[in-house]
């Protein structure tokens, strides 16, 4: 007799019938056993699939509940952040009612609970940074490596007197006079703190990033000091503050004139190799100036054959830290910058301090750089002042 098993009830009925049979070894009994085992195997497969689906559903619900707990305990929720509260309401709605009819139809990335959870955020390599302007004087100046904190240079401050004498007249004794200039290294400092977690988990090399950032800021700071340093206890003596560098008036109370640019070229002795120095805003003004024939005094040069742009035949350098054109300011200096000496005592150094802020889980980094600067020959420079 062939037994047909289609449902679980049929299965149980067959098992009961089997147990009631006396001749279990008969061919008919063996056929029934094989069918029963086959049905049991198929049933178990479906059972395991069901268990897996139920577990996945339970995990998903648990994840959503944990997310909701996290959101409701966040600072955004406590501060009534509207965007955060919308997300919380979406979770609460899902927990209470499940997906609505529209949500059942499709998944989407702009809703966290409707598919956005499966779209991870990817960080693009690199860091977006604005341009940093630096008064880079090193290519134009004399740079030396200092062997000590302070170095001195002998300077002739007075010469012998030469004069005409008549026959039999007595001569007057005279002799040169000397002094010294001191090049002193000043210290630039910066410090930063990084947590242990950030050092271990960040996708960016934070040590390298901080070192580059500090190096850039030191370059900005030294440029500011070279141009406008006061020469005080913690400052370098910038050339724009040097008391012995003279100036000419522009001839206009509010702007630069072409005549003043020409006149200043005669105030620096022959033998020096002076150039103009000013910021980019001043350059924009100079590009509009014309000579008496109506020709622009700024010329583009020919960069293909190493002829730089010039102002009336004289090259120039852009220094962002030079003053803007305004009444009473000194927006232009004309000089031979080989007579401004830069001393390099120590390049960038860093101290890694793991102890001071250890209780807070922070590592402290202290950066130093020691640089000096001095005008060696004030007569090699001349400034233009905006004044009538």
């Amino acid at each position: 007799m062939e037994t047909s098993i289609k449902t679980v009830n049929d299965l149980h009925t067959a098992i009961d019938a089997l147990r009631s049979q006396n001749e279990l070894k008969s061919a008919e009994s063996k056929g029934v056993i094989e069918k029963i085992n086959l049905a049991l195997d198929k049933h178990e497969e479906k059972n395991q699939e069901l268990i897996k689906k139920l577990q996945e559903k339970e995990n998903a619900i648990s994840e959503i509940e944990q997310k909701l707990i996290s959101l409701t305990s966040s600072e955004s929720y406590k501060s009534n952040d509207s965007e955060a509260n919308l997300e919380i309401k979406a979770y609460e709605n899902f927990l209470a009612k499940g997906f609505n009819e529209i949500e059942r139809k499709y998944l989407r990335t702009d809703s966290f609970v409707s598919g956005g959870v499966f779209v991870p955020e990817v960080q693009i390599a690199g860091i977006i940074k604005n341009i940093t302007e630096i008064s880079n004087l090193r290519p134009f100046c004399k740079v030396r490596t200092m062997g000590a904190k302070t170095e001195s240079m002998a300077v002739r401050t007075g010469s012998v007197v030469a004069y005409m004498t008549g026959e039999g007249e007595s001569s007057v004794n005279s002799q040169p006079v000397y002094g010294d200039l001191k090049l002193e290294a000043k210290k630039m400092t910066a410090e930063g703190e990084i947590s242990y977690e950030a050092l271990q988990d960040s996708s960016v090399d934070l040590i390298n990033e901080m070192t580059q950032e500090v190096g850039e800021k030191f370059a900005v700071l030294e440029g500011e000091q070279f141009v406008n340093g006061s020469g005080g206890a913690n400052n370098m003596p910038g050339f724009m503050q040097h008391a012995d560098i003279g100036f000419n008036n522009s001839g206009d109370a509010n702007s630069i004139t072409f005549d003043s640019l020409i006149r200043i070229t005669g105030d620096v002795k022959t033998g020096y190799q002076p150039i103009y120095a000013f910021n980019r805003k001043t350059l924009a003004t100079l590009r509009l100036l014309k000579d008496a024939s109506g020709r622009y005094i700024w010329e583009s040069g020919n960069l293909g054959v190493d002829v730089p742009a010039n102002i009336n035949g004289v090259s120039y350098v852009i220094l962002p830290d030079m003053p803007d054109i305004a009444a009473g300011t000194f927006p232009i200096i004309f000089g031979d910058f080989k007579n401004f000496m830069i001393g390099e005592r120590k390049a960038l150094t860093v101290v890694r301090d793991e102890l001071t802020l250890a209780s807070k889980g922070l590592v402290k980094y202290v950066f130093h750089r020691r640089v000096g600067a001095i005008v060696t020959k004030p007569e090699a420079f001349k400034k233009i002042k905006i004044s009538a």
Side-chain angles (χ1 to χ4, degrees):
M1 179 180 66
E2 184 174 331
T3 302
S4 176
I5 299 176
K6 296 181 179 179
T7 66
V8 174
N9 291 333
D10 293 340
L11 180 64
H12 290 308
T13 301
I15 292 173
D16 292 338
L18 179 64
R19 289 174 177 172
S20 65
Q21 292 182 12
N22 296 323
E23 298 178 357
L24 296 175
K25 296 181 180 180
S26 66
E28 185 178 354
S29 297
K30 289 182 180 180
V32 173
I33 291 172
E34 289 177 356
K35 290 182 179 180
I36 291 172
N37 288 335
L38 180 61
L40 286 172
D41 290 343
K42 292 182 178 179
H43 178 75
E44 186 59 35
E45 288 180 5
K46 294 180 179 179
N47 179 63
Q48 291 300 315
E49 290 179 1
L50 177 60
I51 292 174
K52 183 178 178 181
K53 289 180 180 178
L54 290 173
Q55 186 61 50
E56 289 175 347
K57 185 177 181 180
E58 183 178 340
N59 291 342
I61 293 174
S62 176
E63 182 179 345
I64 292 173
E65 289 175 341
Q66 290 299 320
K67 177 65 176 177
L68 181 58
I69 292 171
S70 174
L71 286 172
T72 55
S73 62
S74 68
E75 293 299 325
S76 298
Y77 177 76
K78 295 175 182 178
S79 60
N80 295 321
D81 182 88
S82 57
E83 185 175 345
N85 288 339
L86 286 174
E87 188 174 357
I88 291 168
K89 288 180 180 178
Y91 273 99
E92 292 173 341
N93 182 67
F94 171 76
L95 292 175
K97 303 177 181 179
F99 292 116
N100 60 36
E101 290 302 319
I102 296 177
E103 289 172 330
R104 284 197 185 98
K105 292 179 181 178
Y106 66 95
L107 297 178
R108 52 195 293 173
T109 63
D110 60 349
S111 172
F112 186 84
V113 297
S114 301
V117 65
F118 303 112
V119 184
E121 180 180 293
V122 177
Q123 186 178 57
I124 301 172
I127 300 175
I128 298 173
K129 299 180 180 180
N130 291 333
I131 291 176
T132 300
E133 293 186 311
I134 299 172
S135 293
N136 185 14
L137 276 159
R138 289 176 176 267
F140 307 95
C141 302
K142 185 174 182 179
V143 182
R144 62 171 282 104
T145 300
M146 299 177 67
K149 177 181 178 180
T150 304
E151 293 183 340
S152 62
M153 296 163 279
V155 179
R156 186 182 66 188
T157 59
S159 300
V160 296
V161 177
Y163 51 90
M164 304 298 294
T165 58
E167 184 176 354
E169 292 181 355
S170 298
S171 61
V172 177
N173 180 45
S174 65
Q175 59 185 11
V177 180
Y178 299 95
D180 69 345
L181 285 177
K182 295 187 183 297
L183 177 64
E184 182 179 357
K186 304 289 186 176
K187 183 170 65 177
M188 298 183 289
T189 302
E191 66 177 61
E193 300 162 1
I194 306 177
S195 71
Y196 287 109
E197 290 83 357
L199 288 173
Q200 295 168 357
D201 302 335
S202 176
S203 61
V204 176
D205 185 344
L206 294 179
I207 302 299
N208 181 64
E209 175 63 24
M210 181 179 286
T211 301
Q212 290 184 359
E213 182 78 8
V214 170
E216 181 179 87
K217 294 307 179 184
F218 278 173
V220 171
L221 179 57
E222 77 166 20
E224 294 172 353
Q225 289 286 300
F226 292 162
V227 176
N228 293 308
S230 64
N234 297 324
N235 291 276
M236 299 181 224
F239 57 79
M240 290 300 290
Q241 304 299 322
H242 200 288
D244 294 332
I245 293 180
F247 66 89
N248 285 331
N249 292 331
S250 66
D252 188 300
N254 298 295
S255 189
I256 289 289
T257 63
F258 174 59
D259 288 349
S260 65
L261 290 168
I262 298 301
R263 188 164 51 248
I264 200 174
T265 62
D267 291 333
V268 175
K269 294 179 180 178
T270 302
Y272 292 114
Q273 297 178 322
I275 60 174
Y276 294 112
F278 38 72
N279 66 27
R280 58 181 171 80
K281 292 182 180 179
T282 299
L283 174 61
T285 298
L286 296 180
R287 282 176 174 167
L288 300 176
L289 284 182
K290 299 178 181 180
D291 62 17
S293 301
R295 295 174 299 185
Y296 289 102
I297 65 171
W298 180 84
E299 298 177 352
S300 62
N302 189 338
L303 303 184
V305 293
D306 295 334
V307 176
N310 62 81
I311 301 292
N312 196 42
V314 180
S315 60
Y316 57 84
V317 58
I318 301 296
L319 301 179
D321 292 297
M322 288 290 291
D324 293 338
I325 295 175
T329 64
F330 297 85
I332 297 177
I333 189 168
F334 182 71
D336 185 344
F337 287 93
K338 287 293 187 290
N339 297 284
F340 183 74
M341 182 179 289
I342 297 172
E344 189 78 66
R345 175 57 179 148
K346 285 292 182 181
L348 182 66
T349 59
V350 59
V351 176
R352 189 176 192 271
D353 181 0
E354 297 186 62
L355 301 178
T356 303
L357 300 174
S359 62
K360 296 182 178 180
L362 301 174
V363 180
K364 184 177 181 179
Y365 295 87
V366 183
F367 298 84
H368 297 293
R369 190 176 181 192
R370 298 175 67 197
V371 180
I374 192 170
V375 175
T376 57
K377 295 182 182 179
E379 69 172 19
F381 299 89
K382 199 79 170 184
K383 297 181 289 188
I384 294 179
K385 181 179 181 181
I386 305 300
S387 179

